[in-house]
Amino acid sequence: MSELRRELGLLEAVVYGTGLILGAGIYAILGEATGVTGGSIVISFLLAALIASVTGLSYAELASLFPKAEGDYIYVRNAFDREIVSDVTALGRLLMGVISSAAVALAFSGYLSAFIDVSQIWTAILIVVIMTGINFWGIDLSTKINILFTGIEVAGLVIIIWIGSGSWGSAEVLHTPNGVVGVLHASFLIFFAYLGFGSIVNLSEETEDATVTIPRAIVLSLGFTTLIYLLVGLSAVSLVDWRVLGQSASPLAAVARVGWGTRGSTLLGAIALFSTTNTVLILQISTSRLLYGVSKSEYHVFPEIFSRVHSSRQTPHYAVMLVGIVTIPFVFLGDIGFVAGLANLMLLVVFVLVNAALLKLRYSRPEQERGFRAPLNVGQLSITAVAGLISSLGLIAFYILTW
């Protein structure tokens, strides 16, 4: 068997993107981001959403051109025809996937510790191992789990919005205890929350009519999650002091405790377990599909064994196992903010290359059929791709200068 099973439609693809974005962001990094920027976390969310959206449009168009599991790699390879550039893209995305998976697994441990006394490191490792097993079992089971868990995590965020909606007027959204640097730093951390849209493209070979479905899924996932993020962020700083949020290992549970008492805190803590579990699962899936894609015989980026598909499960079992194994060492770093920062840096390097790839392909292959075309153009020049390129370079420079 050398092909994956096409099981996903638009709904499933949007749910995958939504589950990945929401789980990785709000439940994992909200506290630390609020701790560096205060009430202006809402502004940081808007800035991060803008940066993610312009690059997301590049992904949407490129996914309609090349609906392959290789995703970013195949885009850069076709644009520049230089193995070193495309190989760096593949390696960067793989590192981003495993590092992000480790960061969210650590967030899972943080929420679980509110219920029982557990080892953060070993609990995170255990959740990675379990999700690797589900990933191996098949895309059908993974999809069912994803839909169920995404519904639960969205319900939890709606509860937070409902709890805080009556206090929105008290939020000091212009409060910047660390000035512009704090707003930018928080935006950089929050950018980790948007990594999901780039991973949707890795499901192209398991999606029906991928040239149309995947671009739509990217746009819809980004739009829906941005709205949720803004309202949750506003509710959080309306109810809880930003310094308290910054010190909390389970920030949304802290918000629920203030607005709804111990019962609310317990409920949100439990929902966060589903959300972070879901995110680890989807990251393991998308990263293993990328490894599967770039290991195909025509590329030779990685040994061809990782492109093999299990005869009965129809999943890339060797790729699944390797991604799970490589994730575990990053769990030992322990610090969610530091791990998320590393994932962001890898992702931003890839974003620079992806936006540059779209700009190049607009001129080198202007007549190639596209299922989606990014808006705002001057002739063949994509304004959104230029904005994505510049903003990604800017965040890389910010990260290096503030390390």
Side-chain angles (χ1 to χ4, degrees), residues 143-211:
T143 300
K144 290 176 180 176
I145 292 174
N146 174 243
I147 291 174
L148 174 62
F149 282 20
T150 298
I152 292 172
E153 69 189 58
V154 170
L157 297 178
V158 170
I159 289 172
I160 291 292
I161 293 170
W162 173 67
I163 290 173
S165 59
S167 304
W168 286 349
S170 64
E172 299 179 9
V173 297
L174 299 180
H175 174 240
T176 56
N178 294 310
V180 175
V181 173
V183 174
L184 291 174
H185 188 185
S187 294
F188 179 81
L189 289 173
I190 292 168
F191 197 68
F192 175 69
Y194 284 98
L195 58 86
F197 74 84
S199 298
I200 297 173
V201 301
N202 302 125
L203 301 175
S204 293
E205 293 183 39
E206 292 166 285
T207 302
E208 300 172 356
D209 194 16
T211 57

Side-chain angles (χ1 to χ4, degrees), residues 279-359:
T279 301
V280 174
L281 173 61
I282 308 171
L283 280 166
Q284 291 288 308
I285 292 171
S286 61
T287 308
S288 62
R289 273 33 172 203
L290 175 64
L291 177 58
Y292 153 82
V294 299
S295 300
K296 293 174 182 176
S297 58
E298 61 262 40
Y299 305 134
H300 296 295
V301 179
F302 294 99
E304 191 177 348
I305 188 174
F306 297 115
S307 68
R308 295 181 185 176
V309 177
H310 194 274
S311 58
S312 59
R313 303 263 50 97
Q314 289 187 270
T315 53
H317 50 305
Y318 291 115
V320 167
M321 287 187 288
L322 181 63
V323 168
I325 290 169
V326 174
T327 300
I328 292 173
F330 290 101
V331 169
F332 285 95
L333 293 176
D335 185 333
I336 293 177
F338 178 70
V339 178
L342 286 178
N344 280 347
L345 185 60
M346 296 295 100
L347 185 63
L348 287 165
V349 170
V350 173
F351 281 1
V352 169
L353 294 170
V354 167
N355 282 299
L358 179 60
L359 292 170

Side-chain angles (χ1 to χ4, degrees), residues 32-55:
E32 185 150 353
T34 304
V36 299
T37 196
S40 56
I41 187 68
V42 178
I43 299 174
S44 296
F45 269 123
L46 280 172
L47 182 58
L50 178 62
I51 295 171
S53 295
V54 290
T55 296

Side-chain angles (χ1 to χ4, degrees), residues 89-101:
T89 303
L91 184 59
R93 275 286 282 112
L94 287 169
L95 285 173
M96 185 279 294
V98 296
I99 295 171
S100 300
S101 187

